[in-house]
Amino acid sequence: MTTMPTFLKIGNKPGINGTTDDPHSLDDYKPLLGLWLIDLALTCNWIAKPPSGSLEDTFANDPFMTLTGLPELGLLLCDDDLDDCALDIDTDDVVRRAVRPKRRSRNVRTKATERELKVRLMARRKILKNQGVRDDLPFIANIYRLSRMMTLTEAESAVLSFAASLTCFPIFHNALSPNYTDVSDSALTTILASITGHLPDDIRKALRRDGMLQTSGLIRLDSDAETDLENKLKLVHDLQGVMLEELKDDEELSRRVLCPSKPGTLSLDDFSHLAADIQLLQNYLTGAINQHEKGANILLYGAPGTGKTEFAKALVAKVGLSLFDISCTDDDGDPIAGEQRLLSLAFCQRALKTKPRVALLFDEIEDVLPGRHSNGYLGMMLTDKSKDKGGKAWINRALEDNPVPTFWITNDAAIDDAYLRRFDYALAFRIPPRKVRHRIAQDHLGQYAPNAAAVAAIAELDDLLPAQLERAARVARLCATTTPGQAWQNIEMTIQRSRALLGQTRKNLKAKTHTHYSLEFLNTDADIAAILQGLRVHPQASFCLYGPSGTGKSQLARKNAKGDPTPATFADSNFSQTNMIGWLNKHCKTVQPAASTD
C-alpha cells in the first residue's frame, strides 16, 4: 500500500490513478498537476480577473483542460457572441452532445458563467484531492532521494517539487504561460503556501537566498522583480534529465547527477619539476580530508596544454581521493552558462558533503569568475541590482565554506583579487624543463620514433606543450600506418602544423646531426693535444682562441668541457690577429700565435 508524500498536503487513494507501467506517463501525475492548477486559479482569483484577458483563454486552453480533466470548460466558456455552440466533450468516459442555451444578457451570463466555473473547479478539485499521487512514482521517489541527500525540510521539498514540475512537465508550464501572472517574492510565497499546504513562514524560509535550496544550487529563483510565475523558479540543470527516471536507489541518483572525472593519462613522475609543490599539496589534501576542513581550494593556472588538469588528477589519485567534475557542457555537448555551472558547483558540494575522500575539479573558471576589469557572472545567484555586493558575497562564501576540497583551473589568472586571496594555494604551470619534456615525449612518441635522437630533438623544443605531444601520438595511432617511418613522419607533420598554428617557431623540429670530432682536423701553430694534456696536470688556465668563422674554436672548447672538467676559461673571437694580440697582451701573461696558456 502506498502513501501520500508528507511534503505534499493532498489526499490519496492508492491505485485509483495507476493507469500504466510507463514511468513517464503523464496520467499518473495529472492529479497533482491538475490540483495545483485549480488551486492557483482559486488563490489568484483568476475567475474574477482572468490573467490572460478572458475566461476562455485562461481556462479553456488545451493544457489546462487536459491536466485538470475538465474538457467541458471549452463548451462552458466558448464565445459569448454565439447564440448556440455545439461541442463534443468527454465526462466520465461518456461522449455526449451539448448545446449552449440561447443568448442572455451579457452581465447575467458572465456572472452565471463565473459561478458555474467555480462550482466545476471545486468539484474537480475534490476528486483530484481524493485521488492524489502514488509516492512510488519516479518523480516523487526522486524528490525523496534529493531531500535525503540534501537534508531538506518538508517545505523545501514541496518548493522543489513545484520547481521541478515546471521544468519536467512542459504541459504544466504551458498551462501557465497564457496567463500573464507576474508575481513578486511575497506573492510567490503566498501561492506556494496555498497549493502545497505549508505555512507561509516555512515557504518563505525555503525560498531565502541563504536557504538550502538556493545555496545548494537545487533551484534558481528570479527575485530581481515581478516575473511570470512559470519562469520564477527553475530547477538546476543537472537534475532535469533524471527526475522522471526510474532509479534503483539513492546511489544511482548520485551517479547520474554527479560527474566522476575520467582517469588521467599522466602520473606525478611527469611533474618531477614540481616535486616540492607535490609533497606540500599531498600533505595539505590529507590534512583537509582528515580534519574535515572547509574552504580547501587550490588554484592551478597557466597556458593551455601545460598539464594543469592532468596534474590535478594525478595528485588526487596519489592521495587516494575520488575526483568529480563540474561539467562545462550538457548531455548534448552544448556549453553550460557560467551561472548554471556555479549552481552545479553548489549542488555538488552539498551532495558530496557526506561522502568520504572526495574532491571536485572546476575547469575553465575564467568563464565563471569575474576578472579584474569585468563583472563576469556577478549577477548570479539572484543578486539584486547591486551586483558587486550579492555576487561577490556568494562567490566568497563558495570559496570559504565549501566542504569538499576543490581544484580551480584557469588559463588566465587575471581574476579579481578579492577571489585570488581566498585560494589556499596557487601553482603556476609553465612549459616543463627539457628532462621532463623528454620523458613525456618518450611516453607518447617512443613507440613510433626511428631512434633516440628523434625523441631528443622533440624534447629540445622548449615551447612545445605536453598536450601537443599527446595529440601527435593520437594522430599517429589513428592513421594506423604499417610503416614506422611513415608513422614518425605523420607525427612530425602534426607537430609542425600545430606549432605553426600556435606561432611556435623558436627551434627546428629535426634532430641535429653531429660530425665526429678530432683534434687532427685543427689547423693551429700550437700543439693542442699537448696543451690539453697539460691542463690535466695543472688545471688552471685561460685561453683565447681566434681565427675565421667555422675553424673549430667553439667546438674545441665544447670538446674540452665534455672531457675531464677543468677550471679553464676559453675566450672565443673572430678579431683580426693584430687586434687579438693586443687583447692577449692585455689579458694574458704569455702569448702564443694561436693559443695562450697561463
Side-chain angles (χ1 to χ4, degrees):
M1 179 177 180
T2 58
T3 58
M4 186 65 194
T6 57
F7 58 83
L8 295 177
K9 308 297 185 179
I10 58 177
N12 178 48
K13 287 185 178 180
I16 288 181
N17 61 312
T19 59
T20 175
D21 293 331
D22 182 4
H24 294 276
S25 173
L26 179 64
D27 290 340
D28 288 326
Y29 299 100
K30 281 182 180 179
L32 172 62
L33 303 178
L35 181 62
W36 276 349
L37 282 176
I38 293 174
D39 283 349
L40 271 169
L42 297 175
T43 300
C44 298
N45 198 18
W46 285 358
I47 297 177
K49 298 178 180 180
S52 66
S54 71
L55 291 175
E56 183 179 6
D57 291 339
T58 298
F59 295 97
N61 60 77
D62 288 339
F64 189 96
M65 292 188 296
T66 298
L67 290 179
T68 58
L70 291 171
E72 63 268 25
L73 296 184
L75 173 65
L76 177 66
L77 304 175
C78 67
D79 197 330
D80 286 339
D81 292 334
L82 297 179
D83 286 337
D84 54 53
C85 176
L87 182 69
D88 287 332
I89 61 174
D90 188 350
T91 303
D92 297 329
D93 297 326
V94 176
V95 179
R96 60 186 176 84
R97 175 72 62 178
V99 179
R100 184 186 178 102
K102 292 292 183 179
R103 179 182 298 180
R104 296 171 292 170
S105 166
R106 173 175 287 275
N107 290 336
V108 174
R109 186 168 61 252
T110 300
K111 291 297 182 182
T113 301
E114 291 178 356
R115 287 194 297 270
E116 179 66 16
L117 175 59
K118 185 173 183 179
V119 168
R120 298 197 185 196
L121 290 177
M122 293 296 293
R124 187 58 181 169
R125 183 187 188 279
K126 184 176 181 179
I127 295 174
L128 295 175
K129 182 176 180 179
N130 286 335
Q131 286 183 351
V133 294
R134 304 195 319 270
D135 61 359
D136 61 343
L137 292 173
F139 181 84
I140 303 299
N142 289 330
I143 293 290
Y144 266 129
R145 291 188 175 105
L146 286 171
S147 298
R148 289 191 293 268
M149 182 186 297
M150 314 299 274
T151 61
L152 302 180
T153 66
E154 288 197 346
E156 289 168 338
S157 297
V159 172
L160 176 62
S161 64
F162 183 80
S165 296
L166 287 171
T167 302
C168 299
F169 299 105
I171 189 174
F172 184 57
H173 185 281
N174 294 339
L176 295 174
S177 57
N179 303 308
Y180 306 107
T181 307
D182 289 341
V183 294
S184 62
D185 291 357
S186 60
L188 179 65
T189 298
T190 300
I191 291 172
L192 292 180
S194 175
I195 69 174
T196 64
H198 289 279
L199 295 175
D201 192 49
D202 292 337
I203 296 296
R204 189 176 299 108
K205 291 178 181 179
L207 292 173
R208 285 180 53 170
R209 182 180 300 173
D210 60 352
M212 183 59 64
L213 288 177
Q214 292 203 60
T215 58
S216 66
L218 279 172
I219 67 169
R220 164 75 158 87
L221 174 64
D222 188 352
S223 60
D224 284 344
E226 291 190 356
T227 309
D228 289 344
L229 176 60
E230 67 271 17
N231 296 318
K232 189 74 171 177
L233 283 173
K234 294 180 181 179
L235 185 69
V236 69
H237 185 278
D238 305 65
L239 296 172
Q240 294 177 13
V242 300
M243 292 305 297
L244 293 176
E245 294 291 332
E246 195 165 12
L247 306 179
K248 182 174 61 175
D249 50 29
D250 293 4
E251 189 61 29
E252 185 176 358
L253 177 62
S254 295
R255 291 194 299 270
R256 292 291 301 276
V257 298
L258 301 174
C259 183
S261 184
K262 296 180 180 179
T265 59
L266 301 180
S267 69
L268 290 181
D269 292 338
D270 295 306
F271 300 94
S272 56
H273 56 297
L274 302 175
D277 297 281
I278 290 172
Q279 185 59 57
L280 184 153
L281 287 173
Q282 283 184 246
N283 296 336
Y284 166 83
L285 284 173
T286 301
I289 290 293
N290 292 341
Q291 299 176 38
H292 305 286
E293 191 75 16
K294 290 185 177 181
N297 296 285
I298 301 169
L299 177 66
L300 307 180
Y301 66 97
T306 49
K308 301 181 293 296
T309 302
E310 288 293 331
F311 175 83
K313 292 181 178 182
L315 181 64
V316 165
K318 183 69 174 180
V319 179
L321 306 181
S322 298
L323 187 64
F324 293 84
D325 292 339
I326 303 299
S327 298
C328 55
T329 59
D330 59 20
D331 294 338
D332 297 327
D334 297 324
I336 299 175
E339 177 184 348
Q340 185 60 57
R341 296 188 69 205
L342 288 173
L343 292 173
S344 297
L345 170 66
F347 172 75
C348 291
Q349 286 283 355
R350 185 70 186 181
L352 292 171
K353 181 180 180 180
T354 59
K355 293 185 178 294
R357 306 192 68 78
V358 293
L360 275 170
L361 179 68
F362 199 149
D363 206 347
E364 299 182 14
I365 66 171
E366 61 269 21
D367 297 333
V368 176
L369 295 185
R372 294 189 179 98
H373 306 293
S374 65
N375 288 329
Y377 281 96
L378 290 179
M380 84 301 177
M381 289 304 294
L382 324 175
T383 58
D384 55 19
K385 296 302 180 182
S386 83
K387 294 182 178 180
D388 288 343
K389 294 181 180 179
K392 282 189 175 181
W394 190 92
I395 296 177
N396 289 341
R397 284 197 301 270
L399 289 169
E400 293 171 352
D401 300 334
N402 53 303
V404 179
T406 304
F407 288 87
W408 303 71
I409 297 179
T410 181
N411 298 329
D412 182 7
I415 298 169
D416 194 314
D417 291 342
Y419 310 124
L420 292 180
R421 290 193 296 268
R422 286 173 165 79
F423 290 106
D424 286 351
Y425 199 80
L427 181 57
F429 280 72
R430 314 291 188 218
I431 302 293
R434 191 198 63 79
K435 183 178 179 180
V436 176
R437 295 198 307 271
H438 187 277
R439 183 168 58 250
I440 297 174
Q442 182 63 39
D443 290 343
H444 284 300
L445 310 177
Q447 60 179 312
Y448 305 106
N451 50 56
V455 175
I458 296 292
E460 286 296 329
L461 301 173
D462 59 3
D463 55 357
L464 195 64
L465 302 170
Q468 291 173 277
L469 298 174
E470 180 183 0
R471 294 297 180 186
R474 171 185 170 88
V475 170
R477 174 176 58 82
L478 294 178
C479 285
T481 56
T482 57
T483 305
Q486 182 62 49
W488 188 254
Q489 183 178 341
N490 291 341
I491 287 174
E492 288 185 332
M493 186 179 299
T494 301
I495 293 178
Q496 287 170 344
R497 298 299 183 267
S498 176
R499 286 171 59 76
L501 175 66
L502 299 178
Q504 300 168 332
T505 58
R506 290 207 297 266
K507 289 189 176 181
N508 197 324
L509 181 62
K510 295 290 186 180
K512 293 180 179 179
T513 57
H514 298 283
T515 303
H516 177 68
Y517 184 83
S518 173
L519 295 178
E520 297 177 359
F521 298 113
L522 294 178
N523 183 14
T524 67
D525 295 334
D527 188 347
I528 299 298
I531 293 175
L532 295 179
Q533 182 61 35
L535 280 176
R536 295 184 178 91
V537 179
H538 302 287
Q540 290 188 2
S542 296
F543 289 83
C544 177
L545 311 179
Y546 68 96
S549 301
T551 52
K553 303 181 296 295
S554 299
Q555 195 66 16
L556 174 61
R558 294 191 186 98
K559 177 64 176 179
N560 184 65
K562 291 180 180 179
D564 188 16
T566 68
T569 301
F570 290 86
D572 190 353
S573 175
N574 294 326
F575 292 165
S576 67
Q577 183 170 350
T578 301
N579 291 336
M580 183 56 62
I581 291 176
W583 187 93
L584 290 172
N585 288 331
K586 182 178 180 180
H587 295 282
C588 304
K589 294 180 179 179
T590 303
V591 177
Q592 296 288 342
S596 175
T597 179
D598 187 1

